[in-house]
Amino acid sequence: MRPFARRFRRAVCATSALGLLAFAPTAFAQEEGASADDGGDEIVVTARRRDERLIDVPIAVTAYSGEALEKVGAIDITEIGQTTPNTTLEVSRGSNSTLTAFIRGVGQQDPVSGFEQGVGLYLDDVYLNRPQAAVLDIYDVERIEILRGPQGTLYGRNTIGGAVKYVTKQLPQDLSFKIKGTYGTYDQADLIVSASAPVGDLLRIGGSVARLSRGGFGDNLTTGLENYNKDVWAARGTVELGGYGEPVLIRISGDYSKDKSDPRGGHRLIPSLATKAPVLDSVYDSRGGLVDPKQEIEAYGLAMNVAANLSDTVTLRSISAWRKDKSATPIDFDALPAVDVDVPGFYFNEQISQEFQLLYEGDKLKGLLGFYYLDATADTLFDVRIFNTFAGLTAFTEADVDTTTLAVFGDATYDFTDQLSLSVGGRYTWDKREASILRQNYLGGGSPVFGGAGLPFGAPGTDFEGSRKFNKFTPRASLTFKPTPDHTLYASYSQGFKGGGFDPRGVGANAPDLDGNGVRSDAEIASFLSFRPEQVESYELGYKGSLFDGGLNVALAAFYADYTDVQIPGSVACRVGNLPSFCGIVSNAGKATFKGLEFEGRARLGEDLAAAGDRLTLSTALGYIDAQYKQFISNIGGVPTDVADFRKVQNTPKWTASGTLAYATPIGDGDLSFGTTLSYRSKTNQFEIPNPYIDQKGFALWDASLVYTAPEGRWSLGVFGKNLTDKHYKTSGYTFININPVTGVPVLGANGLPTSALGTEGTLTAFYGNPRQVFVTGTVKF
């Protein structure tokens, strides 16, 4: 652990020099698609860490090819959630590039250090340990795979809900050059330039540079800055040696990105309680006055992927990676000029990882043995400024969390016959979390870390250093029956777990004196701040089939999951040293069950309808999930109380559905493609406690595209429309209002408005998905 004084100096120097930054590896970017593929080619995925036909994999997987993503004009990865069953991918509240991901009811939306993701994010098989800058823009993408259900055996910790895999393109053997430009509404102007060249027979080099920009959907009426704008530069370079039939492929890649978009401010849902400021007309406008630190996100990393065929049946793989990102972000919770609940913050993340895999492919036996190592640091520093309440009161927090993980894993599939096979696997993980948490009150202004003039007041609310170890074995088994090569039936069982840790916002001074001796011991504080891993056991039945000579492809899955020791991170108004403040309350509060159904289908409705060679297809996806808490223990007035009947599983709509109608026809030697997608999500709760102001009612989105592609793909021109009905829908928010502690019903004042729990104005703000966008994209290849 690095001491606070050293981190303090580093933060101040970084702020004065640059304003600090985060990570958005647009260079490895990917995005959404409405269908897995536009043609009849077989889709090959690596869900089980080896190449397999999608139809053969006994896992619920949705795959999006790079070509399909381009043809629907996907903007960023969050769009995939619109067309993948039981999946939520959204930009986190108060950020431009932090990702919130949920699959089948499991996920995490709190980005501070100490809390782990529930959905694993993988970039060319490199696990991204933190969600900052994980909202990726698309280019150089081969495909994206969404694996639903626990993937703990092959993908490890924090894939308790599933995994999202970004697979980038291998460099071509020939000289290539590509320019892609986009112009659209809100002054959207994107330019991506990619080039690669062979150097001899075995060596290839390539790179991409991207400039992605867009004006704001609204404005900050206090600061004059644009709201929801985009200002990103990114670059990537790759060197490849071997491959294309050679026994060894070495791929070294590096990327850099900088996001200088303006802060994303929330929209108040109620008038301000003290100053009586009305609700703004546009949901994309904000009034927040916090501008320091200047928002900036910077990220960079290196990776080396090596695959060596040791024989006809044995392959050795090595995946080595290092990544680092820095973020500076001013989040104005109350979205008003007054310093009521203002939170300037820094995020510093760094990781190094190494994975080895030994694969065997025999006639009847296929298997994998692996080793994984991760060493990661996640440091978060932030003020909570509530000047309106008490004489420039600030609660400063620095939470430095280090993670060390070791794992060994194996998975094997044995074919008893051509039709019947059994897969078994397991992973043993050693997880160590070390935390250093400091919380200090200041009066008269913000903390010096963020340039404030406040002076320390009283003893630290938390001054803690500690560590915990968590070991876990996660097995998986599946039985597969293939009556014919085009039909797969499977039954599977799997376990997953998400690491435990320490609440970075917890207040050690509020820890209970368990032994009644009048002193809070280190052990009592550690017990109060720590939380256990959460676990899930999942059962799944599935069918995948190709019928009518490929005219209809379907995938069905039914699942049931027991979810225990559910981690419920949260922040509430509290008192520290008899002063109003902001406290973390994470606990292993819950037990839940998830059961549901998923359907994905693609039907060829007709061929040669209006012209020779044309084709009409319909792609559909439907998800249903019954997600319920069976136990939810909340400490109410010092008494543990089960409030499960009044709590909901967040970011998990009961119904998700989409349909894409696509028509393609030859035009001369080229091709004209038209597609339109309608997607629907039922009511979504933003938090476990239902909130009639922030929760989003069911809504539908309509997209469309028209693309002409010249012969041999030499150039293309497309027109794209997103959210064509201009639907306004909430994706996240902040709430600090008084509620009934059991039912969660807001406590209303005499004016009929919710009463404030923190600050004087009443924090109840929301963030929204993108409005209607129309843009034209042109691509030229040489």
Side-chain angles (χ1 to χ4, degrees):
M1 283 293 170
R2 286 162 285 185
F4 166 70
R6 179 177 173 184
R7 189 66 46 75
F8 182 101
R9 288 194 298 270
R10 185 187 72 177
V12 173
C13 292
T15 307
S16 60
L18 197 84
L20 298 185
L21 319 162
F23 157 59
T26 344
F28 282 123
Q30 0 274 47
E31 312 198 67
E32 129 71 293
S35 63
D37 191 60
D38 286 338
D41 296 339
E42 290 182 341
I43 302 171
V44 176
V45 297
T46 56
R48 293 199 291 178
R49 297 296 185 100
R50 60 178 184 260
D51 291 346
E52 296 178 285
R53 294 192 311 162
L54 180 61
I55 199 173
D56 295 333
V57 180
I59 299 172
V61 182
T62 302
Y64 297 85
S65 71
E67 180 183 0
L69 297 174
E70 286 201 23
K71 284 197 173 181
V72 299
I75 294 174
D76 65 48
I77 190 174
T78 60
E79 293 185 39
I80 290 178
Q82 297 173 18
T83 53
T84 304
N86 293 323
T87 299
T88 297
L89 300 172
E90 294 173 342
V91 178
S92 297
R93 53 191 178 177
S95 81
N96 292 304
S97 57
T98 299
L99 182 66
T100 293
F102 281 76
I103 295 179
R104 291 183 177 177
V106 181
Q108 171 62 261
Q109 70 161 312
D110 200 321
V112 300
S113 58
F115 299 132
E116 301 290 325
Q117 304 166 81
V119 174
L121 306 175
Y122 292 82
L123 178 60
D124 286 333
D125 278 334
V126 174
Y127 172 63
L128 304 184
N129 190 55
R130 302 301 301 158
Q132 277 79 29
V135 178
L136 308 179
D137 296 294
I138 281 187
Y139 59 91
D140 294 342
V141 57
E142 179 68 27
R143 67 181 181 277
I144 302 175
E145 301 173 21
I146 312 295
L147 286 58
R148 299 188 296 280
Q151 307 297 324
T153 299
L154 289 177
Y155 293 92
R157 62 195 295 276
N158 305 339
T159 57
I160 189 169
V164 180
K165 295 188 61 177
Y166 310 98
V167 183
T168 62
K169 290 181 178 179
Q170 187 175 343
L171 296 179
Q173 290 179 286
D174 301 321
L175 180 69
S176 68
F177 186 77
K178 178 181 176 181
I179 301 176
K180 180 179 179 181
T182 298
Y183 185 77
T185 51
Y186 300 100
D187 292 326
Q188 179 183 354
D190 301 337
L191 181 65
I192 303 170
V193 180
S194 304
S196 66
V199 181
D201 295 332
L202 297 179
L203 183 65
R204 299 172 299 279
I205 59 173
S208 300
V209 176
R211 171 61 174 148
L212 310 170
S213 66
R214 187 195 63 234
F217 301 142
D219 295 294
N220 186 309
L221 305 184
T222 300
T223 66
L225 297 174
E226 294 184 286
N227 207 27
Y228 291 82
N229 74 324
K230 188 171 186 176
D231 183 357
V232 174
W233 283 92
R236 177 190 180 206
T238 303
V239 177
E240 293 181 355
L241 179 66
Y244 291 107
E246 298 295 330
V248 177
L249 171 62
I250 301 173
R251 190 180 197 221
I252 301 172
S253 57
D255 65 272
Y256 173 86
S257 64
K258 177 179 282 191
D259 185 344
K260 299 181 68 175
S261 307
D262 293 330
R264 180 172 292 203
H267 174 76
R268 287 189 62 87
L269 301 175
I270 59 172
S272 60
L273 302 181
T275 56
K276 312 302 181 185
V279 174
L280 296 174
D281 292 336
S282 171
V283 299
Y284 299 105
D285 285 346
S286 186
R287 289 197 192 93
L290 183 63
V291 294
D292 183 55
K294 181 180 179 181
Q295 175 136 321
E296 244 176 355
I297 301 168
E298 185 181 46
Y300 36 92
L302 293 170
M304 181 170 69
N305 292 55
V306 180
N309 297 326
L310 304 182
S311 70
D312 291 341
T313 57
V314 179
T315 300
L316 176 65
R317 290 178 183 164
S318 171
I319 305 164
S320 310
W322 167 80
R323 301 209 64 85
K324 189 172 184 178
D325 64 83
K326 312 172 192 175
S327 304
T329 179
I331 305 177
D332 197 317
F333 280 37
D334 57 283
L336 289 168
V339 185
D340 196 44
V341 186
D342 288 7
V343 183
F346 293 143
Y347 298 88
F348 303 88
N349 301 312
E350 187 171 5
Q351 69 176 77
I352 184 169
S353 61
Q354 175 62 54
E355 182 168 357
F356 294 107
Q357 302 171 10
L358 188 66
L359 292 86
Y360 175 79
E361 293 254 1
D363 292 334
K364 288 186 172 294
L365 179 66
K366 300 175 180 63
L368 175 150
L369 293 174
F371 166 83
Y372 180 74
Y373 170 78
L374 171 72
D375 186 354
T377 63
D379 304 341
T380 303
L381 303 90
F382 60 90
D383 278 0
V384 178
R385 299 175 178 175
I386 44 178
F387 293 1
N388 277 8
T389 303
F390 190 92
L393 177 61
T394 293
F396 167 75
T397 298
E398 179 186 16
D400 304 339
V401 180
D402 295 349
T403 300
T404 304
T405 295
L406 290 169
V408 291
F409 57 95
D411 186 81
T413 300
Y414 185 78
D415 298 329
F416 294 104
T417 68
D418 291 341
Q419 296 178 309
L420 184 66
S421 63
L422 174 68
S423 296
V424 293
R427 187 184 192 104
Y428 196 89
T429 301
W430 295 265
D431 212 11
K432 182 179 181 180
R433 309 296 298 283
E434 298 176 273
S436 175
I437 303 172
L438 175 71
R439 181 184 175 113
Q440 175 67 58
N441 280 341
Y442 288 83
L443 289 179
S447 72
V449 170
F450 295 97
L455 297 175
F457 179 78
T462 305
D463 189 359
F464 170 79
E465 290 197 11
S467 65
R468 286 287 175 91
K469 294 181 179 179
F470 309 97
N471 301 337
K472 180 66 177 176
F473 176 70
T474 49
R476 178 181 177 85
S478 64
L479 186 66
T480 302
F481 177 67
K482 295 178 66 65
T484 74
D486 291 331
H487 298 271
T488 300
L489 293 159
Y490 67 90
S492 69
Y493 167 81
S494 60
Q495 287 187 9
F497 91 109
K498 186 169 76 173
F502 299 91
D503 184 353
R505 288 186 292 249
V507 180
N510 290 352
D513 182 10
L514 299 176
D515 56 15
N517 66 355
V519 177
R520 290 175 175 83
S521 67
D522 290 344
E524 289 171 330
I525 294 173
S527 177
F528 179 67
L529 296 179
S530 65
F531 52 90
R532 301 184 303 277
E534 60 183 27
Q535 304 174 61
V536 69
E537 288 188 283
S538 179
Y539 306 83
E540 183 170 319
L541 296 174
Y543 164 74
K544 298 180 181 182
S546 180
L547 303 93
F548 307 116
D549 196 24
L552 176 64
N553 294 292
V554 298
L556 284 164
F559 61 90
Y560 173 87
D562 276 318
Y563 194 20
T564 56
D565 281 332
V566 183
Q567 299 166 7
I568 310 293
S571 301
V572 297
C574 63
R575 299 192 76 82
V576 180
N578 207 33
L579 292 174
S581 195
F582 170 95
C583 297
I585 53 166
V586 67
S587 63
N588 295 94
K591 293 181 180 178
T593 60
F594 304 139
K595 49 183 178 286
L597 298 169
E598 294 167 347
F599 169 82
E600 294 176 284
R602 183 177 182 276
R604 188 168 60 235
L605 301 182
E607 293 180 310
D608 302 327
L609 299 173
D614 68 0
R615 173 181 291 190
L616 181 66
T617 60
L618 176 66
S619 299
T620 56
L622 177 67
Y624 166 79
I625 184 169
D626 179 13
Q628 295 186 10
Y629 280 108
K630 298 302 182 181
Q631 176 181 291
F632 195 113
I633 304 300
S634 182
N635 194 319
I636 298 176
V639 179
T641 305
D642 189 351
V643 294
D645 290 343
F646 303 98
R647 299 299 183 261
K648 301 293 184 180
V649 177
Q650 64 162 286
N651 282 290
T652 303
K654 179 171 287 189
W655 292 96
T656 54
S658 70
T660 297
L661 190 66
Y663 176 74
T665 184
I667 300 292
D669 292 330
D671 174 81
L672 184 67
S673 299
F674 169 77
T676 182
T677 297
L678 185 66
S679 60
Y680 172 78
R681 300 173 71 82
S682 61
K683 181 179 179 179
T684 302
N685 295 99
Q686 308 294 357
F687 302 100
E688 283 76 17
I689 300 175
N691 185 307
Y693 299 92
I694 287 181
D695 292 342
Q696 174 60 49
K697 297 178 181 178
F699 67 96
L701 298 177
W702 176 35
D703 300 340
S705 62
L706 181 66
V707 181
Y708 174 77
T709 304
E712 300 178 2
R714 291 191 302 270
W715 62 271
S716 65
L717 185 65
V719 180
F720 304 91
K722 301 291 182 182
N723 188 8
L724 289 173
T725 61
D726 202 24
K727 176 65 179 179
H728 294 165
Y729 59 99
K730 306 180 191 79
T731 60
S732 56
Y734 292 107
T735 173
F736 286 97
I737 59 173
N738 289 309
I739 60 171
N740 182 296
V742 175
T743 66
V745 174
V747 176
L748 304 182
N751 56 4
L753 296 174
T755 56
S756 179
L758 183 64
T760 61
E761 299 285 10
T763 293
L764 197 53
T765 57
F767 298 86
Y768 288 78
N770 292 5
R772 177 171 52 234
Q773 295 175 264
V774 179
F775 52 93
V776 177
T777 297
T779 302
V780 179
K781 298 179 181 179
F782 300 95

